[in-house]
Amino acid sequence: MAFPTVRHRRLRRTAALRSMVRETAISANDFIMPIFVTYGEGVKTEISSMPGVYNFSLDTLRSEVDEIVGLGIKAVILFGIPETKDSVGTGAYAQDGIVQQATRKIKEWYPDLLVVADTCLCEFTDHGHCGMVHTFERDGHIHGDVLNDESLELLVRTAVSQAEAGADIIAPSNMMDGYVQAIREGLDAAGYDQIPIMAYSVKYASAFYGPFREAADSAPQFGDRKTYQMDPANALEAIREAESDVLEGADMLMVKPAMAYMDIIRTIKNEFDLPLVAYNVSGEYAMVKAAANNNWINERGIVLELLTGLKRAGADIIITYHAKDAARWLREEQH
């Protein structure tokens, strides 16, 4: 029988054939590992909703960084939990802020490890919002407006202090209008014109952030972030957001979260020629870990498939809490 003359299974017959024609590959070079740093001594506290992820004090941080470097991961992103909080997030831009201290230590230990500094105020403000707020009482409840332009000055100060501490990449996650231009101008004026900006260009007001807010103690104390983060129902708006950041001087773009937004990743990749980051966020990680811990899924298979899917969708770089495990599994496959 001549039919079928085209047999797609021919190229799937052996592992070697499948490997040879594989279209998408992931490696440790693609990953950025998040690290949570906090004050105190001897702190290595597991985050209950994120098994395998910890809050580290500066004196316990070295072993985590050693492991990350040993696995061939080239970059980390730092999130800080300050000793005290206030209404203007002073700890975010303090010269001895926790992120600044951690950055200096990591660059001292491993000068070639890329340190990405998350540039936001939410972990450092007592109200938990990503900028300055004007609060008022109405009907017996506290309400507030996040002040866009007034927040930019503090975000610029944060970015410059992070660059001074040795951060290789500034990653502003605040979603204030005009934030990329303000930070670019501030970095340039301070002599850091070579420091790139990884813009959280397309950041949705997502339910997937819950575990992170436990880890960073950054949940809003009133209201929500829907006035500045994007509506998950919107796709065309993502193009407008990313275009603004491109015009303002962003060096990299980001889509956050990742799993439910692969269509957005592909759209942004098709529209813009800058490197694209996907943030595989805490809630996505927590779901996989919970299912794996109940033996409902094959964790290794699921994680590698997920990360391959993000890369296939168009992500050049993936921020993921799975980074260490994935790097370890990929190394085992090579051997």
Side-chain angles (χ1 to χ4, degrees):
M1 292 180 61
F3 178 84
T5 55
V6 177
R7 293 186 180 272
H8 301 287
R9 290 178 56 186
R10 290 181 185 128
L11 298 182
R12 304 172 190 155
R13 189 167 51 86
T14 69
L17 274 170
R18 292 191 295 272
S19 178
M20 183 179 294
V21 300
R22 185 165 294 139
E23 300 173 23
T24 305
I26 56 173
S27 76
N29 292 333
D30 300 323
F31 305 146
I32 298 175
M33 179 67 194
I35 300 179
F36 295 95
V37 289
T38 188
Y39 282 93
E41 294 182 357
V43 178
K44 182 182 178 182
T45 306
E46 189 171 37
I47 299 159
S48 62
S49 56
M50 300 173 69
V53 179
Y54 297 82
N55 283 327
F56 295 95
S57 54
L58 296 176
D59 61 328
T60 63
L61 180 61
R62 178 65 186 264
S63 61
E64 174 74 355
V65 179
D66 287 346
E67 183 180 10
I68 289 167
V69 171
L71 289 167
I73 297 168
K74 302 297 193 299
V76 297
I77 183 167
L78 297 180
F79 300 96
I81 302 93
E83 195 167 24
T84 60
K85 303 188 179 196
D86 58 33
S87 62
V88 293
T90 303
Y93 44 86
Q95 295 301 309
D96 61 348
I98 189 64
V99 168
Q100 288 80 355
Q101 291 188 59
T103 299
R104 293 187 185 99
K105 284 188 173 294
I106 292 171
K107 296 305 291 185
E108 177 185 336
W109 299 331
Y110 293 104
D112 294 332
L113 179 66
L114 292 174
V115 174
V116 184
D118 177 75
T119 306
C120 196
L121 302 180
C122 63
E123 297 123 89
F124 303 91
T125 55
D126 52 15
H127 48 72
H129 281 284
C130 300
M132 294 177 62
V133 300
H134 167 64
T135 58
F136 55 92
E137 185 174 330
R138 186 174 61 210
D139 302 326
H141 299 283
I142 298 296
H143 299 269
D145 295 322
V146 177
L147 305 175
N148 191 96
D149 296 2
E150 293 84 346
S151 300
L152 294 179
E153 179 184 351
L154 300 183
L155 293 165
V156 170
R157 291 176 64 183
T158 301
V160 171
S161 72
Q162 292 167 336
E164 288 174 346
D168 298 286
I169 299 171
I170 298 300
S173 60
N174 52 83
M175 287 297 283
M176 297 294 110
D177 291 335
Y179 71 113
V180 173
Q181 180 174 325
I183 290 173
R184 182 72 275 158
E185 291 176 352
L187 289 172
D188 291 358
Y192 297 104
D193 58 303
Q194 297 301 309
I195 300 295
I197 295 175
M198 177 190 290
Y200 281 65
S201 304
V202 183
K203 182 178 179 181
Y204 286 91
S206 172
F208 284 102
Y209 302 149
F212 176 95
R213 292 176 182 174
E214 175 201 344
D217 189 25
S218 62
Q221 297 304 300
F222 59 85
D224 53 40
R225 295 177 179 156
K226 293 180 180 178
T227 64
Y228 47 102
Q229 295 178 358
M230 284 181 54
D231 184 341
N234 292 356
L236 294 178
E237 185 183 9
I239 299 174
R240 297 197 297 272
E241 285 279 2
E243 183 177 27
S244 295
D245 289 355
V246 171
L247 293 174
E248 291 177 20
D251 300 283
M252 308 178 197
L253 306 177
M254 187 189 300
V255 175
K256 178 184 179 182
M259 288 171 59
Y261 298 88
M262 286 195 184
D263 60 322
I264 306 300
I265 293 171
R266 173 46 55 190
T267 295
I268 299 302
K269 187 63 178 177
N270 288 345
E271 289 283 338
F272 304 100
D273 60 2
L274 292 180
L276 181 58
V277 184
Y279 196 146
N280 177 210
V281 300
S282 60
E284 299 167 341
Y285 174 86
M287 291 191 302
V288 171
K289 295 298 286 190
N293 288 341
N294 279 285
N295 295 315
W296 294 337
I297 60 171
N298 176 329
E299 181 180 3
R300 175 173 176 158
I302 288 284
V303 169
L304 294 180
E305 183 176 340
L306 164 64
L307 298 176
T308 300
L310 296 178
K311 188 83 180 288
R312 187 190 66 243
D316 301 292
I317 302 162
I318 303 170
I319 301 174
T320 178
Y321 302 92
H322 296 292
K324 290 193 300 180
D325 287 335
R328 188 176 298 110
W329 293 327
L330 291 169
R331 178 174 290 181
E332 290 172 358
E333 287 184 357
Q334 293 171 356
H335 295 85

